[in-house]
Amino acid sequence: MNDPLRDPWAGPMRLALAEAAHAATAGDVPVGAVVLAPDGAPIAAGHNEREATGDPTAHAEILAVRRAAASLGEWRLSGCTLVVTLEPCTMCAGAIVQSRVSRVVFGALDEKAGAAGSLWDVVRDRRLNHRPEVVAGVLADACAEQLTSFFRDR
C-alpha cells in the first residue's frame, strides 16, 4: 500500500525505524524489528547489534524473535507479526519459519541477500512446514533511505 496514512503497518514500521536508528548510533547497519502480539500490541523489539556484541547472529529479527519468545514464555510465536525495516536474510528467514511467526512485514527489499521474495523466498517455500504471510514495501522509501544514508556517511 503506497499511502502511509492508510497503511495499517505504517505505525509499527515507524517503531522499527526508531529501533534501526539505535543500531546506526552504535555503528551498526540500521535495521530494526518489532514483534506484535496477536492483538497488535508490541511485545518485543530489536536492532542490529553485530558490531556492539561481536555476534554474527545479532540481527534485528533474531533479537526481536528471541525477546518475543521470552516475553510470551513460549517459542511458538503463532499469531504474531514481525515488522522489520529490511527484507530478512536466509538466517533470519529460517528463524521466522522455526518460530512460527504468522506474518512478516518488511520495508526495503534486499536484492543482495533477501530471503522473503527478492533473491530467495525461504519464508514461503512450499517444502517447509510453516509459511508466514508476507507484506512487502511498507514505508519502503524511508527504510531504504535510512540504510542509504548510513552507508553514504561511511
Side-chain angles (χ1 to χ4, degrees):
M1 185 175 284
N2 293 332
D3 184 356
L5 297 176
R6 296 179 56 193
D7 189 335
W9 301 114
M13 186 60 76
R14 285 187 187 93
L15 295 174
L17 281 162
E19 276 295 319
H22 294 307
T25 300
D28 232 312
V29 176
V31 177
V34 175
V35 177
L36 307 175
D39 67 1
I43 57 171
H47 55 270
N48 277 359
E49 295 182 18
R50 292 187 308 169
E51 297 297 331
T53 63
D55 178 356
T57 68
H59 287 204
E61 302 94 309
I62 298 293
L63 297 173
V65 164
R66 285 179 184 161
R67 292 170 184 156
S71 173
L72 295 174
E74 168 72 49
W75 67 265
R76 289 177 191 86
L77 300 181
S78 301
C80 292
T81 299
L82 174 69
V83 180
V84 61
T85 58
L86 180 65
E87 179 181 2
C89 69
T90 54
M91 175 182 69
C92 294
I96 289 163
V97 170
Q98 292 301 316
S99 65
R100 309 298 194 271
V101 166
S102 293
R103 181 181 302 109
V104 179
V105 176
F106 70 86
L109 287 173
D110 186 348
E111 295 177 3
K112 293 181 180 178
S118 62
L119 187 58
W120 295 287
D121 202 350
V122 172
V123 296
R124 293 180 286 197
D125 191 315
R126 295 175 53 109
R127 296 168 292 183
L128 299 176
N129 64 334
H130 178 73
R131 291 176 296 284
E133 174 188 357
V134 175
V135 178
V138 176
L139 299 183
D141 292 343
C143 294
E145 176 53 33
Q146 195 174 42
L147 289 158
T148 301
S149 176
F150 175 80
F151 286 111
R152 183 180 23 217
D153 293 346
R154 290 183 99 52

